[in-house]
Amino acid sequence: MADSAKGLHESALDYLPSGGGLPALRRAAADCRGCVLYAHATQTVFGLGPADARTVLVGEQPGDQEDRQGKPFVGPAGGLLHKALAEAGIDENQVYFTNAVKHFKFAPLTDTRKKRIHKTPNLREITACRPWLAAELRRIDPELVVALGATAGKALFGSSFRVSEARGALLPLPDLSKWDMPPEQDAVQEAEENGHRFLATVHPSAVLRAKNRADAYQGLLSDLRMAAHFLA
């Protein structure tokens, strides 16, 4: 692997292309060195879906399978999410899937731990990767953004975001033109009544970890049905 300090910048802003659509962003993101996570990940896992998607689903970061395959939401949590979307009546042909952080962060392998275990990205890593998410959202201009879990919410609204406080409410989406700023400078109060909405729910991996998985799944499904109702 490359030295994690070599060529390292503090933000993905240094790697954003000056123009072009999602394909240009995807090509540029493949060479991103905006934080240390690139050094140990297999590859950048960029968003996937139509450029005119009505809905953008934002997760936390790629998992082990996503890192290997280079696509978002292809692991166990992704399988559960796709099931819930179908059950909620959301057409995946109108959904763009992405993550707040584009590289897999995991605990180091040891003699006793052979499996790559997910680690939650910190605020510095979330902020460094945020320009990619901002650029995706500006190019897609979705009607609805769904944050799956706390990391996605913090990428959009800052470190004070709590899923438990925002969950299940359709909120106005802030002005996308300001999303290259650090999230702490992005006040939710600056959201405009432009018809675009934001919805927070749990990450599907939280459902898989829940003691009562059936209840947790129904909670996720209820939130996604609210999204489907808005889109209808």
Side-chain angles (χ1 to χ4, degrees):
M1 288 292 181
D3 183 346
S4 62
K6 185 177 180 180
L8 180 64
H9 295 263
E10 294 300 320
S11 171
L13 277 174
D14 295 312
Y15 299 91
L16 285 178
S18 58
L22 291 174
L25 288 178
R26 186 173 291 107
R27 288 192 297 270
D31 295 322
C32 185
R33 304 292 186 267
C35 76
V36 298
L37 297 185
Y38 86 90
H40 301 290
T42 304
Q43 59 192 310
T44 303
V45 181
F46 206 69
L48 189 64
D52 60 350
R54 298 181 64 198
T55 305
V56 172
L57 293 182
V58 184
E60 178 186 83
Q61 64 158 343
D64 180 78
Q65 289 302 311
E66 288 81 5
D67 177 67
R68 298 178 190 278
Q69 298 184 40
K71 298 178 181 179
F73 295 102
V74 293
L80 185 143
L81 176 62
H82 292 299
K83 175 179 180 292
L85 288 170
E87 195 169 343
I90 295 177
D91 182 3
E92 287 198 20
N93 292 320
Q94 298 180 358
V95 175
Y96 182 88
F97 297 89
T98 193
N99 283 296
V101 173
K102 312 301 188 192
H103 286 113
F104 180 34
K105 181 178 182 178
F106 56 94
L109 300 179
T110 66
D111 290 340
T112 58
R113 184 173 59 226
K114 305 297 184 181
K115 183 178 180 181
R116 300 191 300 176
I117 304 298
H118 154 279
K119 288 186 68 177
T120 301
N122 60 40
L123 187 61
R124 184 173 183 176
E125 292 156 351
I126 295 169
T127 302
C129 206
R130 193 172 190 255
W132 292 121
L133 179 59
E136 288 174 294
L137 292 174
R138 279 199 300 269
R139 282 159 175 78
I140 298 169
D141 192 25
E143 297 172 41
L144 177 66
V145 174
V146 178
L148 302 168
T151 297
K154 289 177 181 180
L156 299 172
F157 292 113
S159 60
S160 63
F161 177 86
R162 298 291 182 271
V163 173
S164 59
E165 297 174 1
R167 184 176 183 180
L170 282 167
L171 304 174
L173 189 66
D175 183 358
L176 297 182
S177 68
K178 301 177 181 179
W179 281 27
D180 280 338
M181 301 189 311
E184 268 63 27
Q185 299 177 24
D186 253 4
V188 178
Q189 292 89 322
E190 295 177 1
E192 299 178 357
E193 276 299 329
N194 55 13
H196 294 28
R197 291 292 182 268
F198 164 81
L199 178 71
T201 187
V202 296
H203 195 282
S205 62
V207 176
L208 295 178
R209 295 193 304 268
K211 292 182 178 179
N212 190 328
R213 189 178 295 183
D215 283 354
Y217 178 77
Q218 286 304 314
L220 171 63
L221 186 58
S222 176
D223 293 337
L224 292 178
R225 281 174 172 157
M226 182 178 294
H229 181 73
F230 167 74
L231 294 168

